[in-house]
Amino acid sequence: MTTLTRDRSRVGLLFALTSAVTFALSGALARPLLDSGWTAGSIVLLRIAIGAVAVLPFGLVALRGRWGLLRRAAPTVLLYGGLAVAGAQYCYFSAVRTMEVGPALLIEYTAPAAVVVWMWLVHGQRPGRLTVAGALVAALGLVLVLDLFAGADVDLRGAAWALAAMVGAATYFVISADERSGIPPITLAAGGLVVGGVLLGLLGLVGLMPMASSSADVAYAGVEVAPWVALLLLGLVTAALAYASGIAASRRLGSRLASFVALSEVVAAVVWAWLLLDQLPAPVQFLGGALILAGVIGVKIGERSVVVGTDPLPVTSVDHEPETVDGVAGGVAGGVAGDDVLVQQPDPAATS
C-alpha cells in the first residue's frame, strides 16, 4: 500500500506539472493574437469551447452510462464550470483591464494560501511549520518572478476583480480534489468546460465581455502561422489537457499540495514568453523560480506534519467504481480518467 501511495503521489506530481506547463502556455499564445486585434474575451471563449469539444467524448466514455451519477454531481459540475472555469477567466481579464498583469497575477496566485486556510478552518487540517515556511518562500519567489520590485500601480477596482479570480482559482483546486461525488476526473473536466463555455458565451452575447477577432497571421519565435493554429493550441493544450491533468493531479495530491505545485505555472509562463516571444527573463526572475521550487518542496515535505481534525463533512462514495484507462486510451491526458481510485489510501486533502 505504501508503494502504491508513493506511485500515486509521483503520478500526481507529473500531472500537476503537466497542468502548470500547459496552462502557462496560454499567455504566450494569446499575446500575438491580442496584438493583432483579438479581444481577450474572444480568445478565452474559443479556448474553452474548443477544449470542451475535445474533452467531452472522453468524459462521456468514462461515465459509462451512469447518468444518475452525473445528475447527483450536477451541482459540483455547475459550481466548477461557473467559478473555476468561467469565473476565474472572466474576473482575471476584467482585472487586467485596469491594472498591470504582474500585480493581477500575484493576487490571483494567493489561491494556494486560500486553500490552506480553507482546509484548516473547514476541515480542521492545521498546516505544519514546514508547510507555512514553504508557502512563505514560494510567495517570495512569486514576487521575484513577477518582478514587482520594479514598481507597478495597483488600483482598487482591478484588485477586487483579481481577488474574485483568486476565489475561482481556489475553487478549482478544492473541487478538483474532491472525490466524494464519484464523478471521473475527465468527466468533471468535460462538464466544467461545457458549463464554462456556455457562461462565457452568454457574457459575450449580453456585451459584458467584448468580442472581436482578426484574420491576420501571428508570429511565434519568428514563425508566422494562421490564427486558427494558435486557437487550436489554446483549446487543445491550454484548456483540454491543462484542466484534465489538473483535476487528475488534485485527486492524487489533494488540493493543498496541487495548488502549490501550480505556482510553477508562473515560472513556465516566463519560459514560454522567452521561447516564443523572445522576452528574456531578468536574473531576479530566475532566482524567483528557484524559490518557488524550494517552497513547493517544503510544502510537499510538510504534508506529513499536517494535523487533521474532525472533518464536518464525512466522505461518501456514490456509484464510485474503479476506473480504467480503456475508455480513454490515446485520448486527452491518456490516463486522466484511469487509476485515480485504484488506491484507497485516505487522503485528508482530497476531501475538501
Side-chain angles (χ1 to χ4, degrees), residues 5-304:
T5 302
R6 288 176 180 171
D7 290 341
R8 176 183 174 98
S9 180
R10 281 194 286 267
V11 172
L13 287 171
L14 179 60
F15 274 128
L17 290 173
T18 299
S19 180
V21 170
T22 51
F23 268 130
L25 180 59
S26 62
L29 288 176
R31 181 56 186 267
L33 291 171
L34 291 168
D35 293 341
S36 68
W38 287 76
T39 60
S42 298
I43 295 172
V44 72
L45 174 59
L46 289 175
R47 173 194 174 203
I48 297 302
I50 293 172
V53 171
V55 176
L56 185 58
F58 302 107
L60 294 176
V61 169
L63 196 59
R64 295 177 176 177
R66 294 172 293 172
W67 301 109
L69 174 62
L70 183 60
R71 284 194 299 270
R72 286 188 288 271
T76 298
V77 174
L78 291 174
L79 188 63
Y80 183 84
L83 288 182
V85 179
Q89 297 278 339
Y90 177 72
C91 292
Y92 172 72
F93 284 115
S94 296
V96 298
R97 288 180 190 172
T98 58
M99 69 186 298
E100 295 183 11
V101 171
L105 272 176
L106 179 60
I107 294 172
E108 182 178 7
Y109 275 87
T110 58
V115 171
V116 169
V117 172
W118 173 268
M119 298 301 295
W120 186 2
L121 297 180
V122 177
H123 297 282
Q125 297 177 17
R126 178 166 56 87
R129 294 179 181 178
L130 195 53
T131 297
V132 174
L136 293 176
V137 171
L140 176 59
L142 185 60
V143 172
L144 294 180
V145 167
L146 297 176
D147 202 13
L148 295 184
F149 289 135
D153 295 328
V154 180
D155 68 26
L156 294 179
R157 181 181 177 186
W161 280 115
L163 281 172
M166 180 273 291
V167 173
T171 302
Y172 162 77
F173 292 112
V174 171
I175 293 181
S176 294
D178 193 347
E179 295 184 280
R180 289 173 295 182
S181 66
I183 189 170
I186 195 72
T187 306
L188 176 59
L193 287 170
V194 169
V195 172
V198 170
L199 292 177
L200 289 169
L202 291 176
L203 290 174
L205 285 176
V206 299
L208 291 178
M209 192 170 66
M211 308 287 287
S213 62
S214 171
S215 60
D217 288 348
V218 290
Y220 302 98
V223 178
E224 291 193 355
V225 299
W228 63 265
V229 175
L231 291 169
L232 276 180
L233 288 174
L234 280 166
L236 297 178
V237 178
T238 76
L241 179 57
Y243 277 102
S245 57
I247 295 174
S250 293
R251 291 284 176 93
R252 290 164 172 81
L253 301 177
S255 56
R256 178 174 40 250
L257 179 56
S259 66
F260 277 95
V261 177
L263 290 176
S264 59
E265 179 185 336
V266 181
V267 181
V270 172
V271 175
W272 281 123
W274 178 19
L275 295 176
L276 298 181
L277 307 179
D278 198 26
Q279 296 178 356
L280 185 64
V284 69
Q285 292 177 300
F286 283 110
L287 174 59
L291 290 177
I292 288 177
L293 178 59
V296 169
I297 293 174
V299 171
K300 169 60 178 174
I301 298 174
E303 286 286 289
R304 303 170 186 171

